């Protein structure tokens, strides 16, 4: 190959311009010899200390925001897989019931532990039968005074009144809901009163119940009396809504499932959908794009197909396919992949059409570089930025589409937790005190989508050889 | 030019035919419950008789031919579950004006917000004092593009209605309840206009003619307004017809969220009620809007930008 160049050069110098064409003799076997493709020679000529991936990485590292978000995202994705393995996690779809009443623990606000209240030492409590060696079910609810039943106020202590009613004595909260009718000077006890609503009577001036339900305390912290019906706290005691330590960090939802577990399980589902859509889009898109760009005979047909597919709004395809097929993760992935690959294929095709006949590619081909080498070394670096950008944007796009499809009512069944499901359930509670059921899923979702968007853009910029210094 | 338009028109019509056929065939695969409002109570014989009466037992091709014929005559069929027996055309005629009104307002709003934002962002490339706008705009664009629309619409609805002290739902009589849906619908387009206008304007700013104009002594203001903005807005024009047409159909999500009696809300409603004939027609209408919007956009580009000549493009590869 090197010899070829020198021969032509000599000929050009020697011959007068007009006779150049005739001056080149028919191929002389002594002057030319066939050179097979030689890998080591190719490396030697192609060598420079410029490394494409190294430069791309350096350009990416120059963007602190993108790097920080990449760390956040990596940690978050890793955590979604680690979370079920951590100790003390509730299964995502488990409906948590109160052990005694068997009612669902619905809409428990976010807490770090199950402890609802702290009772000081010496607090008298009523013990309820609960068969557990470690935990006891306790309450300080003596009973309920029915509405419009007269009771006697024995002691007045501001927010709390000590009353006696029907032989029992206890404390009653004195707030506007009770509407206790008080005479002019409330400290002038005893006097009679009555309420228009049923009033809870407690053993001590504190409400140690969870909406009327029993709380749980360690047996070690209590001194039970012989009958097992009442107890006194020995030391300061945590009263818990459940007989275990693990709290509901994100609270529970309306049917008593742990939102923390649900959010991470939903994130897994949504990320799975996102990654699958991105992979399928990239796989089919790159394949079709290369075929489209390289096989000239197929160009017309594929362009026509593209024109048809590109005209249909993606949302409508998504809606139609989800409407027709049974709702499942697979359906969603299929519906989202059905048209998105078209855009990727067009990008690849356009790039290949532009690049394939450039001089350096022509040269490579003339020098006998095999097709895989041309694709990997000459074409891929120009395509990587676009491919990565589209993949990175496909993931938040897919997650967003899932939320949308769930809202329409064509999404995953509630038994499969996903961010779309959680947001759709939480949406109805935004104006209530249970708005945390929307806030937590949306925070996680926004972190994921914003990170992918920023990282994708940053990576696309740094993968573009034009931006390499 | 005329040949190009003819070619595009034919292609669009063929595309539409393909889309209609595919949608029709796909919806035929749905369970037959979607054609009856009281399927559970019906006897199997009655169901069969009604199916025959509706022509749903005919061969697929016969059905498709009849459907296309009806469409050509403007007969869109009747609703099966949404409001039983009412012609779909009649339902749509009550819905389209609402969507049109809201959609046009939101389009106007997004142009009013997006174009100045894009210009301000591009200007801050030249004047270092105004970097703030670029930062604000970038944050806004990233937020709107990255966070799913389904999420920020919910929050806008809840907090906006509290701030404006209005009802969360749309009511035709109270103009204040119009503000939030229009704002919601315009956010996406606003970000779109701002992002692309900025990018095109920055591209233009780096061109030689800008340097020449400045060397001649033309003020920055004039360069931006007379040269850069005009040239940068041309590629944006392509998007206008599509966005105009989508206003007719309304934003599916926003309309449903605020229970606006428009086309988008209608689509969600009929999907939830599994009204096959209506889903079919609405999906076809939405696809038509996509096709026609792109077609108009391309034509508008040809009409406005003298640099685009399709005579050359037809032969080029």
């Amino acid at each position: 190959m090197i010899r070829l160049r020198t021969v032509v050069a000599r000929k050009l110098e020697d011959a007068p311009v007009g006779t150049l064409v005739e001056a080149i003799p028919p191929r002389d076997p002594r002057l030319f010899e066939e050179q097979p493709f030689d890998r080591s020679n190719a490396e030697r000529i192609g060598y420079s200390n410029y490394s494409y991936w190294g430069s791309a990485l350096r350009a990416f590292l120059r963007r602190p925001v993108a790097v920080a978000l990449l760390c956040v995202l990596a940690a978050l994705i890793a955590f979604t897989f680690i979370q079920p393995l951590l100790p003390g996690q509730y299964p995502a779809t488990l409906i948590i019931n109160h052990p005694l009443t068997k009612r669902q623990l619905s809409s428990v606000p976010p807490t770090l532990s199950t402890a609802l209240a702290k009772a000081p030492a010496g607090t008298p409590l009523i013990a309820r039968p609960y068969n557990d060696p470690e935990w006891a079910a306790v309450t300080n609810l003596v009973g309920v005074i029915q509405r419009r039943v007269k009771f006697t106020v024995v002691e007045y202590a501001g927010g709390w009144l000590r009353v006696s009613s029907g032989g029992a004595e206890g404390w009653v909260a004195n707030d506007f809901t009770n509407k206790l009718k008080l005479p002019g000077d409330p400290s002038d006890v005893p006097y009679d009163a009555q309420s228009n609503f049923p009033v809870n009577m407690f053993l001590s001036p504190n409400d140690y119940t969870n909406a009327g339900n029993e709380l749980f305390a360690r047996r070690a912290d209590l001194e039970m009396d012989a009958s097992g019906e009442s107890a006194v706290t020995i030391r300061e005691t945590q009263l818990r809504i459940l007989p275990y330590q693990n709290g509901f960090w994100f609270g529970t939802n309306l049917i008593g499932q742990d939102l923390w577990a649900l959010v991470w399980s939903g994130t897994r589902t949504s990320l799975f959908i996102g990654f699958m859509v991105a992979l399928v889009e990239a796989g089919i898109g790159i394949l079709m794009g290369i075929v489209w760009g390289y096989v000239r005979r197929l160009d017309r047909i594929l362009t026509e197909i593209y024109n048809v597919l590109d005209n249909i709004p993606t949302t409508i395809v998504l809606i139609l396919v989800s409407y027709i097929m049974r709702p499942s993760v697979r359906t969603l992935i299929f519906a989202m992949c059905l048209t998105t690959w078209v855009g990727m294929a067009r990008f690849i095709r356009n790039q290949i059409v532009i690049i394939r006949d450039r001089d350096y590619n022509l040269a490579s081909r003339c020098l006998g570089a095999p097709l895989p080498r041309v694709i990997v070394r000459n074409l891929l670096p120009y395509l990587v930025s676009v491919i990565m950008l589209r993949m990175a944007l496909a993931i938040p796009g897919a997650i967003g589409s899932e939320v949308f499809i769930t809202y329409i009512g064509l999404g995953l069944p509630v038994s499969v937790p996903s961010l779309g499901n959680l947001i759709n359930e939480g949406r109805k509670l935004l104006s209530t005190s249970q708005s945390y059921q929307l806030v937590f899923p949306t925070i996680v979702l926004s972190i994921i989508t914003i990170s992918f968007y920023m990282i994708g853009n940053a990576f696309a910029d740094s993968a573009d050889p034009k931006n390499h210094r | 030019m005329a040949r190009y338009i003819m070619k595009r028109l034919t292609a669009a019509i063929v595309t539409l035919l393909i889309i209609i056929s595919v949608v029709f065939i796909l919806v035929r695969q749905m369970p037959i419950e979607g054609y009856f409002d009281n399927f559970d109570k019906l006897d199997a014989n009655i169901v069969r008789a009604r199916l025959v009466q509706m022509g749903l037992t005919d061969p697929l091709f016969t059905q498709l031919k009849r459907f296309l014929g009806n469409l050509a005559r403007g007969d869109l069929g009747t609703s099966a579950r949404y409001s039983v027996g009412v012609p779909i055309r009649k339902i749509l005629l009550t819905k389209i004006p609402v969507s049109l009104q809201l959609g046009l307002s939101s389009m106007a709003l997004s142009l009013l917000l997006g174009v100045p934002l894009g210009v301000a962002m591009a200007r801050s490339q030249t004047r270092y004092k105004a970097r703030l706008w670029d930062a604000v705009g970038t944050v806004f664009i990233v937020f709107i593009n990255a966070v799913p629309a389904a999420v920020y619409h919910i929050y806008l609805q809840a907090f906006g209605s509290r701030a404006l002290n209005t009802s969360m739902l749309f009511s035709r009589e109270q103009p204040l309840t119009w503000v939030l849906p229009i704002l919601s619908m315009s956010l996406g387009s606003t970000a779109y206009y701002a992002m692309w206008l900025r990018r095109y304007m920055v591209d233009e700013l780096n061109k030689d003619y800008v340097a020449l104009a400045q060397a001649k002594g033309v003020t920055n203001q004039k360069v931006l307004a007379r040269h850069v903005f005009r040239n940068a807005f041309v590629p944006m024009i392509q998007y206008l017809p599509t966005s105009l047409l989508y206003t007719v159909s309304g934003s599916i999500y926003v309309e449903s969220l605020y229970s606006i009696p428009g086309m988008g809300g209608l689509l969600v409603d009929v999907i939830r009620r599994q009204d096959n004939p209506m889903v079919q027609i609405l999906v076809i209408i939405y696809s038509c809007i996509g096709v026609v919007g792109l077609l108009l956009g391309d034509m508008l580009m040809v009409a406005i930008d003298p640099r685009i000549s399709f005579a050359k493009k037809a032969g080029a590869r």
Side-chain angles (χ1 to χ4, degrees):
Chain A
M1 172 209 68
I2 292 165
R3 197 190 288 186
L4 175 85
R5 198 184 284 161
T6 51
V7 170
V8 175
R10 197 181 330 125
K11 283 286 173 205
L12 284 175
E13 281 159 23
D14 294 350
V17 179
T19 59
L20 189 63
V21 178
E22 297 95 287
I24 299 175
R27 191 176 158 215
D28 184 345
R30 278 172 305 162
L31 291 178
F32 295 95
E33 56 181 288
E34 194 85 19
Q35 291 281 337
F37 177 68
D38 181 354
R39 214 182 150 68
S40 64
N41 255 339
E43 292 297 335
R44 192 163 55 82
I45 294 168
Y47 178 78
S48 77
N49 68 352
Y50 169 81
S51 144
Y52 171 72
W53 293 106
S55 303
L57 185 67
R58 270 196 301 281
F60 184 76
L61 290 179
R62 275 198 297 270
R63 297 160 178 272
V65 178
V67 173
L69 281 175
L70 184 64
C71 296
V72 169
L73 191 64
L76 202 129
I77 292 174
F79 186 74
T80 59
F81 290 100
I82 296 169
Q83 181 267 335
L85 308 173
L86 292 177
Q89 300 293 322
Y90 299 96
T93 46
L94 175 78
I95 296 169
I96 298 153
N97 293 323
H98 191 274
L100 285 179
T101 59
K102 305 293 179 207
R103 265 184 291 173
Q104 295 158 356
L105 279 178
S106 66
S107 301
V108 175
T111 47
L112 288 179
S113 77
T114 48
L116 187 75
K118 239 183 228 173
T123 309
L125 291 167
I126 300 165
R128 291 281 154 81
Y130 181 63
N131 210 357
D132 191 278
E134 196 184 346
W135 297 90
V138 294
T139 175
N140 67 346
L141 184 67
V142 180
V144 181
I145 305 171
Q146 292 307 316
R147 65 200 190 99
R148 300 209 179 104
V149 171
K150 280 229 169 84
F151 54 86
T152 315
V153 176
V154 187
E155 190 186 333
Y156 185 88
W160 289 87
L161 308 176
R162 197 145 72 95
V163 301
S164 84
S165 161
E169 197 162 286
W171 292 84
V172 162
N174 178 23
D175 55 28
F176 69 97
T177 53
N178 290 349
K179 295 211 171 114
L180 293 178
K181 282 181 185 153
L182 295 177
D185 182 8
S187 57
D188 184 18
V189 287
Y191 57 88
D192 283 354
Q194 69 171 22
S195 166
N196 287 336
F197 294 94
V199 181
N200 287 338
M201 192 158 70
F202 300 102
L203 210 52
S204 51
N206 258 314
D207 180 359
Y208 292 140
T209 63
N210 179 23
N213 293 336
E214 291 76 7
L215 294 174
F216 297 87
R218 284 187 190 283
R219 281 184 191 272
D221 292 339
L222 302 172
E223 196 186 307
M224 295 282 207
D225 78 341
S227 63
E229 281 172 5
S230 66
V232 176
T233 54
I234 308 168
R235 53 186 85 92
E236 198 179 56
T237 306
Q238 303 268 23
L239 300 175
R240 298 175 182 280
I241 51 174
L242 279 175
Y244 11 86
Q245 305 259 28
N246 327 316
F248 305 105
W249 289 5
F250 287 178
T252 63
N253 67 4
L254 285 181
I255 58 168
Q257 292 168 320
D258 180 26
L259 204 60
W260 166 263
L262 275 179
V263 164
W264 295 115
S265 168
T267 307
R268 271 194 298 279
T269 315
S270 292
L271 278 175
F272 176 73
I273 293 175
F275 273 109
M276 284 311 287
V277 169
L279 282 180
V280 173
E281 183 190 330
I284 299 179
I286 291 171
L287 205 71
M288 293 305 289
I290 288 176
V291 171
W292 190 2
Y294 253 104
V295 186
R296 282 166 207 249
R297 241 176 298 163
L298 289 177
D299 186 61
R300 257 199 90 103
I301 303 166
L302 285 172
T303 308
E304 289 307 319
I305 293 176
Y306 167 78
N307 284 339
V308 172
L309 286 180
D310 188 53
N311 273 323
I312 313 170
T314 322
T315 321
I316 292 301
V317 176
L318 192 62
I319 290 175
L320 185 65
V321 175
S322 322
Y323 182 65
I324 290 163
M325 290 168 73
R326 192 187 299 271
S328 72
V329 174
R330 229 181 294 166
T331 303
L332 281 182
I333 295 174
F334 176 74
M336 288 179 202
C337 292
L338 209 55
T339 50
T340 45
W341 64 269
V342 180
M344 173 80 99
R346 193 192 56 168
F347 264 111
I348 304 282
R349 179 255 179 193
N350 286 351
Q351 288 295 321
I352 285 184
V353 168
I354 292 168
I355 302 169
R356 70 172 174 201
D357 291 332
R358 285 214 182 136
D359 291 347
Y360 72 93
N361 269 326
L362 216 58
S364 275
R365 259 183 285 162
C366 288
L367 296 177
L371 188 65
R373 190 185 154 89
V374 172
I375 289 178
V376 172
R377 299 297 290 261
N378 297 1
L379 294 180
L380 203 60
Y382 281 96
L383 302 179
V384 157
S385 64
V386 175
I387 294 172
M388 292 307 288
L389 178 67
R390 288 195 65 94
M391 279 183 79
L393 296 191
I395 293 170
I399 294 174
S401 299
E402 198 258 329
V403 178
F404 172 70
I405 281 293
T406 310
Y407 171 78
I408 294 185
L410 298 173
L412 298 172
V414 191
S415 55
V416 183
S418 73
L419 288 176
N421 267 335
L422 294 175
I423 287 172
N424 197 37
E425 294 295 310
R427 184 174 60 82
K428 301 155 192 161
L429 304 167
L430 181 56
S431 315
T432 66
S433 62
Q434 286 126 42
S435 58
Y436 64 87
Q437 294 184 26
L438 177 65
V439 171
F440 287 118
T442 46
I443 287 176
V444 174
L445 178 107
S446 308
I447 292 175
I448 292 173
T449 52
I450 290 178
S451 303
F452 269 115
Y453 184 85
M454 301 283 285
I455 294 167
N457 276 309
F459 191 81
D461 284 351
S462 41
D464 190 343
K466 280 175 231 147
N467 294 335
H468 290 184
R469 284 185 198 163
Chain B
M1 176 77 182
R3 243 177 79 190
Y4 169 74
I5 291 175
M6 278 309 292
K7 215 178 124 193
R8 282 301 312 263
L9 265 176
T10 342
I13 290 169
V14 171
T15 309
L16 279 183
L17 278 178
I18 295 174
I19 293 172
I20 293 173
S21 312
V22 170
V23 170
F24 185 81
I25 291 167
L26 284 178
V27 174
R28 290 288 86 74
Q29 315 307 317
M30 287 294 292
I32 50 169
E33 281 94 324
Y35 299 102
F36 303 97
D37 57 324
N38 50 353
F39 183 77
D40 299 336
K41 294 175 199 151
L42 288 181
D43 187 64
N45 290 324
I46 301 175
V47 168
R48 209 169 307 130
R50 290 267 294 275
L51 283 180
V52 171
Q53 188 198 333
M54 283 188 272
L56 289 168
T57 46
D58 296 347
L60 207 55
F61 188 66
T62 321
Q63 288 186 44
L64 180 61
K65 236 170 36 189
R66 190 168 51 222
F67 180 67
L68 287 175
N70 286 345
L71 277 188
R73 259 178 279 119
D75 175 11
L76 303 181
T78 53
S79 163
R81 286 167 85 121
Y82 175 74
S83 51
V84 184
V86 179
I88 297 177
R89 203 167 66 158
K90 219 164 138 190
I91 301 177
L92 288 182
L93 283 178
T94 63
K95 302 282 182 186
I96 289 176
V98 182
S99 290
L100 194 65
Q101 235 172 346
L102 286 174
L104 283 178
S105 336
S106 80
M107 191 181 159
L109 183 66
S110 57
L111 278 173
L112 276 178
L113 294 175
V115 171
L117 182 62
V119 173
M121 288 171 74
R123 263 173 75 170
S124 54
Q125 292 288 309
T126 52
R127 295 187 313 167
Y128 288 92
K129 269 186 217 162
R131 272 288 149 104
L132 178 71
W133 277 110
D134 206 21
V136 170
T138 309
V139 168
F140 172 71
I141 288 168
V142 166
F143 182 83
I144 294 294
N145 281 333
V147 177
V151 170
Y152 61 73
H153 285 329
I154 299 174
Y155 282 91
L156 189 66
Q157 185 191 26
F159 292 113
S161 60
R162 209 176 298 167
L164 291 177
N165 203 10
T166 56
S167 134
M168 292 237 287
L169 299 181
F170 173 82
S171 147
R172 208 184 284 230
E173 284 76 39
Q174 290 171 286
L176 207 56
T177 57
W178 294 41
V179 175
L180 288 175
I182 291 175
L183 186 64
S184 272
M185 282 188 208
S186 67
L187 282 179
S189 303
T190 305
Y192 182 93
Y193 290 136
M195 179 171 83
W196 287 103
L197 193 59
R198 176 193 176 274
R199 192 168 296 176
Y200 291 135
M201 280 183 77
V202 170
D203 282 354
E204 294 293 325
L205 276 172
N206 291 332
K207 288 194 177 156
D208 290 341
Y209 73 86
V210 173
L212 176 70
Q214 281 167 336
K216 274 197 311 189
V218 184
T219 58
N220 264 340
Q221 289 281 345
K222 272 191 178 167
V223 172
L224 274 176
R226 294 241 177 114
H227 301 290
V228 175
F229 179 74
R230 276 196 195 179
N231 279 327
F233 202 73
V234 168
M236 315 263 309
I237 286 169
Q238 199 171 15
Y239 179 70
L240 290 182
T242 312
S243 87
L244 181 75
L245 279 169
Y246 271 115
T247 63
V248 185
S249 54
S251 159
I252 299 172
Y253 187 71
V254 172
E255 286 202 358
S256 167
L257 204 60
Y258 288 89
S259 13
I260 296 167
M263 285 252 304
L266 184 68
L267 179 61
V268 178
D269 269 357
V270 296
I271 284 173
R272 288 192 179 147
R273 294 189 204 182
Q274 300 226 332
D275 186 334
N276 286 351
M278 287 205 71
V279 173
Q280 173 180 304
I281 289 292
L282 283 175
V283 165
I284 288 173
I285 289 177
Y286 271 91
S287 316
C288 291
I289 287 169
V291 175
V292 175
L294 281 181
L295 182 71
L296 287 181
D298 284 355
M299 293 191 171
L300 209 60
M301 284 284 280
V302 182
I304 284 175
D305 193 342
R307 288 171 297 185
I308 299 174
S309 113
F310 281 92
K312 209 163 75 189
K313 202 172 184 180
R317 226 191 67 78

